[in-house]
Amino acid sequence: MEFQLLYHEYLNLKFNRGLPSLQTDPFEYCYYEDDRAELFFAGREDESFPEWTYELQPRDPNYILHPDWQPVLSASFKNMDVYDELILYYLLFTINTTTSIVNVNPYNAMNDFMKNYCFFQLAQLTSSARLNDEQKQQLREFFFFFYLYTHPVNEETLYSFSFSGQDLIHTKTHIHVEHYFSAYHDHYKANCKKYSDKLQISPEEIDACKHLTLALLRTIEGKSARLVMPPEEGLEAVLQLINDVDTLLSIYFENKTALFELIRGFLSNNRSNPYHEHCFRTLLQNYVCYID
């Protein structure tokens, strides 16, 4: 499965674009009765992608004076304690729920927009030629902080991770998140029978979840191909600026009037729909983050 196709399917459903479903095997989106949508394995609706680890959530050591157990992967990550293990689990869940389509209301609208906005921007930074390495690093840290903050996560998780170059690490232990997530999935895949009371998916399905989680992580780290928002009639000029930060910076510094005319022209267009509005909000947010 190509992650770009899954991302386009996510946008198609989230903004009710009414387009034919894209090829996202082995996953497909299914709706709950309240119109939320989650990724499930094609042909079955008993275990969603973000929730397959629900029964594997570590015990919370914060409610016990002296925790007397070891992390599941302590043999592989010797400097990790049970507090670190829980934080890494929270991060795994947070990253996987990037694929979730939630009901937006006045109370969660800003968080929903900013989490998705920051995820998309993290996928853009590496390809920019107009931003220097220091600017990219500052923006990467900024976007990742608000990606977590607007999930939202608890304070311990929010401040537990940082970037070493493009590698996301658990700051305290210096564990590379990609290494941990890979080992995590491999452990449960190899010990599927041992955890049969907590696992509802097969070893092959665990492997598929691993590939998708790592695709999400590498997108956040900027190690994958740049994501782009799909085309739509009437959005050509806006999408050109959204899908390439360098184009936005070029037009601003070389011809500000053209940028402001584009914005004015969009506002005078009466054909607005949820996807149009999202793209326009993204463009305005880009102006704030990259220019203002």
Side-chain angles (χ1 to χ4, degrees):
M1 176 191 62
E2 182 182 346
F3 183 68
Q4 180 72 69
L5 291 178
L6 178 61
Y7 183 67
H8 282 193
E9 180 73 349
Y10 167 85
L11 294 176
N12 290 342
L13 296 177
K14 184 175 182 64
F15 298 110
N16 300 312
R17 300 182 68 215
L19 299 177
S21 294
L22 298 173
Q23 182 63 256
T24 58
D25 286 345
F27 298 99
E28 65 180 359
Y29 273 103
C30 297
Y31 282 94
Y32 291 100
E33 292 182 358
D34 62 0
D35 290 332
R36 290 179 299 121
E38 295 283 9
L39 275 180
F40 288 81
F41 284 98
R44 52 180 293 189
E45 300 180 14
D46 55 343
E47 191 75 86
S48 72
F49 166 65
E51 295 181 352
W52 80 269
T53 62
Y54 183 77
E55 294 295 332
L56 301 174
Q57 179 172 335
R59 294 167 59 189
D60 191 338
N62 294 293
Y63 295 100
I64 299 175
L65 187 59
H66 299 295
D68 59 356
W69 66 91
Q70 293 294 314
V72 171
L73 299 181
S74 59
S76 300
F77 302 95
K78 300 184 184 301
N79 54 343
M80 175 179 67
D81 61 28
V82 290
Y83 299 94
D84 305 324
E85 179 186 42
L86 184 60
I87 287 169
L88 283 159
Y89 172 84
Y90 288 151
L91 180 68
L92 172 64
F93 180 76
T94 299
I95 288 177
N96 286 350
T97 55
T98 305
T99 61
S100 301
I101 299 173
V102 303
N103 290 322
V104 178
N105 57 58
Y107 303 101
N108 70 359
M110 181 58 72
N111 278 6
D112 182 71
F113 172 77
M114 286 305 298
K115 179 178 180 180
N116 288 282
Y117 173 81
C118 290
F119 176 78
F120 183 74
Q121 296 311 313
L122 285 164
Q124 311 301 307
L125 293 174
T126 302
S127 62
S128 173
R130 292 189 67 109
L131 298 172
N132 61 40
D133 289 343
E134 182 180 359
Q135 290 171 321
K136 289 179 184 179
Q137 191 65 14
Q138 289 174 345
L139 284 167
R140 183 173 288 117
E141 291 169 358
F142 174 83
F143 288 134
F144 185 69
F145 178 89
F146 282 99
Y147 167 81
L148 293 181
Y149 182 83
T150 56
H151 173 69
V153 298
N154 58 28
E155 186 173 5
E156 290 80 5
T157 306
L158 183 62
Y159 292 103
S160 290
F161 299 92
S162 57
F163 284 94
S164 175
Q166 287 181 252
D167 296 334
L168 184 63
I169 63 169
H170 180 248
T171 309
K172 174 189 162 188
T173 60
H174 208 72
I175 291 172
H176 286 234
V177 173
E178 181 174 359
H179 298 165
Y180 181 82
F181 282 176
S182 183
Y184 179 94
H185 288 80
D186 290 346
H187 171 79
Y188 287 108
K189 177 184 175 183
N191 295 278
C192 213
K193 291 184 179 179
K194 178 181 176 181
Y195 297 99
S196 59
D197 59 329
K198 297 181 178 181
L199 283 171
Q200 305 300 318
I201 61 177
S202 68
E204 294 75 22
E205 290 170 330
I206 293 175
D207 212 35
C209 289
K210 171 185 173 180
H211 288 304
L212 180 51
T213 294
L214 293 181
L216 289 162
L217 174 62
R218 288 166 183 157
T219 300
I220 289 169
E221 294 179 320
K223 296 177 180 177
S224 300
R226 182 178 64 192
L227 284 182
V228 296
M229 290 191 183
E232 183 163 313
E233 184 180 354
L235 280 180
E236 294 84 358
V238 171
L239 286 169
Q240 184 179 14
L241 302 184
I242 289 174
N243 288 331
D244 187 352
V245 171
D246 285 352
T247 301
L248 171 65
L249 294 173
S250 295
I251 191 173
Y252 177 78
F253 289 112
E254 296 167 12
N255 189 354
K256 295 181 179 64
T257 301
L259 175 60
F260 297 137
E261 285 295 332
L262 187 155
I263 292 172
R264 185 180 296 112
F266 183 89
L267 290 173
S268 65
N269 184 344
N270 295 321
R271 297 181 301 164
S272 183
N273 60 46
Y275 183 57
H276 280 232
E277 292 171 7
H278 175 74
C279 290
F280 186 64
R281 291 178 66 197
T282 299
L283 177 60
L284 295 183
Q285 191 65 45
N286 278 4
Y287 182 89
V288 173
C289 292
Y290 293 102
I291 296 174
D292 192 17

